[in-house]
Amino acid sequence: MLTYITRRVLYSIPVLILSTFLSFTFVSLAGDPLGQLRLQRGMSPETLNNLKHQYHLDQPIPVRYWYWVQDVFLHKLGNSLVTLQPIWPDIQRTMGHTLQVVLTAELLALVLGVTVGIFSAIRQYSVFDYFFTSVSFLGLAMPVFWLALLLQVLFVDIYLKWNIRIFYTSGLNSPHGTAWSLDRLQHIALPVMTLCIISFALYSRYMRASMLDVLNTDYVRTARAKGLPEWRVVMGHVFRNALIPITTVAALNIGAVFGGAIITETIFTLDGIGYYFIGRLQALDIYAVMAYLLVTAVIIIVFNLIADILYGFLDPRIRYD
């Protein structure tokens, strides 16, 4: 197992280098990274030239990329080209907020999606199955931005009609709110609901299909022929093997959820890393944008590695050579 993990990590390094280099190149060619500073009153040409030299903007892109890699390891992602302040504190703050929303949404979606998928497969073509099949198809068909706006309008309308504050429709928390206070939960409820509904639709459909595939295998029919109770057949023989495709889907979905979080955080004006990314991208803050892309790429690689490791626990037939 240790050899396999080491090999996968080594394989991921060139992928990470190539992806970050391409991203750095495209972002660098998008415009003038000092454009925001040029608009500031009192900014002299000498100051701009000094900043250009200090941040290596007068060098070719490959050289600038190498300096950026050094900043990643030596200076915790370096400094912003707009605020001239360290990037790492902003990444720490915004990533914590995003992880709170994304992990809560994913956990709820997995629990609900797997549970509904199991019961839909066991009760195939029942009213329960038809109902949640329709709900899942609706969730898969809805764009993230449309669902977020729909929930936002719905709860604003409830507040205006009955003057009842169930959930907040923007912001992260009130001035005195804490990480897991009722106030914070009221602020993140709608973003969590948005991401949860989309992921729930995906997980429930995959779990249902996976369960149906395993339910029709020979060893399941043999287990039933031996007289095992149905719950033991389902949980002991079907459920564990049916989880293998869900493991893959869940790991790959992390990247998609982070992509959806950019839109969700923008609509709900959450101080998350997606909202931070949009602001830095609009300002052409190259190093801040690259910090977001690097963190996201590492998260995707890590979750894919976790999925590969979980395969061995879910299916003993899988061996890592």
Side-chain angles (χ1 to χ4, degrees):
M1 176 65 75
L2 183 60
T3 303
Y4 173 78
I5 294 175
T6 303
R7 188 166 63 243
R8 281 299 306 271
V9 170
L10 292 176
Y11 287 161
S12 301
I13 292 175
V15 174
L16 191 62
I17 292 174
L18 180 61
S19 63
T20 53
F21 178 74
L22 292 176
S23 299
F24 188 90
T25 301
F26 294 143
V27 174
S28 299
L29 295 175
D32 182 11
L34 296 179
Q36 295 285 332
L37 293 177
R38 294 182 194 278
L39 299 176
Q40 294 183 13
R41 185 174 299 178
M43 187 64 66
S44 65
E46 291 78 13
T47 302
L48 289 172
N49 287 331
N50 290 335
L51 288 173
K52 192 174 183 179
H53 179 73
Q54 178 183 347
Y55 289 98
H56 315 292
L57 299 177
D58 52 351
Q59 300 291 331
I61 288 178
V63 177
R64 288 160 58 186
Y65 174 78
W66 172 245
Y67 279 116
W68 173 75
V69 171
Q70 290 180 315
D71 280 342
V72 168
F73 291 101
L74 299 179
H75 305 107
K76 291 186 177 180
L77 303 176
N79 294 339
S80 165
L81 284 175
V82 175
T83 65
L84 305 181
Q85 299 299 314
I87 294 172
W88 179 243
D90 289 334
I91 294 295
Q92 274 188 306
R93 185 191 75 255
T94 56
M95 177 57 77
H97 298 158
T98 296
L99 286 176
Q100 186 180 36
V101 172
V102 168
L103 294 182
T104 303
E106 281 293 286
L107 180 61
L108 289 173
L110 272 171
V111 172
L112 295 174
V114 169
T115 303
V116 168
I118 291 173
F119 282 99
S120 292
I122 295 174
R123 294 173 172 81
Q124 189 180 17
Y125 305 131
S126 64
V127 175
F128 180 92
D129 184 28
Y130 281 126
F131 174 76
F132 278 103
T133 295
S134 302
V135 171
S136 298
F137 284 150
L138 186 62
L140 290 171
M142 285 190 295
V144 174
F145 73 89
W146 185 85
L147 177 59
L149 289 172
L150 184 66
L151 292 174
Q152 199 173 48
V153 170
L154 174 64
F155 283 93
V156 165
D157 191 51
I158 290 174
Y159 177 71
L160 292 177
K161 281 186 176 180
W162 293 289
N163 198 26
I164 299 174
R165 174 77 71 185
I166 302 175
F167 302 127
Y168 290 90
T169 57
S170 65
L172 186 64
N173 54 253
S174 299
H176 302 293
T178 57
W180 290 106
S181 64
L182 177 61
D183 177 79
R184 172 65 70 88
L185 294 177
Q186 286 180 298
H187 277 86
I188 69 172
L190 293 185
V192 167
M193 197 181 303
T194 301
L195 297 175
C196 179
I197 290 173
I198 302 298
S199 295
F200 163 79
L202 180 69
Y203 294 147
S204 62
R205 298 314 301 160
Y206 268 93
M207 192 65 195
R208 179 184 182 274
S210 184
M211 287 286 294
L212 290 174
D213 285 341
V214 179
L215 281 169
N216 295 321
T217 56
D218 291 337
Y219 68 85
V220 172
R221 285 193 289 268
T222 302
R224 284 174 174 155
K226 290 180 178 179
L228 292 178
E230 184 65 18
W231 68 268
R232 188 172 176 184
V233 172
V234 171
M235 300 308 297
H237 295 271
V238 180
F239 175 66
R240 183 171 179 176
N241 289 321
L243 276 179
I244 296 176
I246 293 295
T247 305
T248 305
V249 173
L252 296 176
N253 192 51
I254 292 295
V257 169
F258 267 92
I262 295 176
I263 301 171
T264 306
E265 290 174 358
T266 302
I267 292 174
F268 292 105
T269 59
L270 293 182
D271 185 26
I273 196 168
Y275 189 63
Y276 173 80
F277 166 74
I278 290 296
R280 297 302 90 205
L281 183 63
Q282 290 173 341
L284 287 177
D285 192 346
I286 299 174
Y287 300 135
V289 170
M290 286 305 304
Y292 166 83
L293 296 174
L294 175 64
V295 170
T296 304
V298 170
I299 288 174
I300 293 173
I301 289 172
V302 168
F303 274 92
N304 277 272
L305 179 60
I306 291 173
D308 288 340
I309 295 172
L310 287 176
Y311 290 156
F313 292 100
L314 294 173
D315 190 348
R317 296 170 297 179
I318 297 176
R319 292 291 179 267
Y320 299 106
D321 298 322

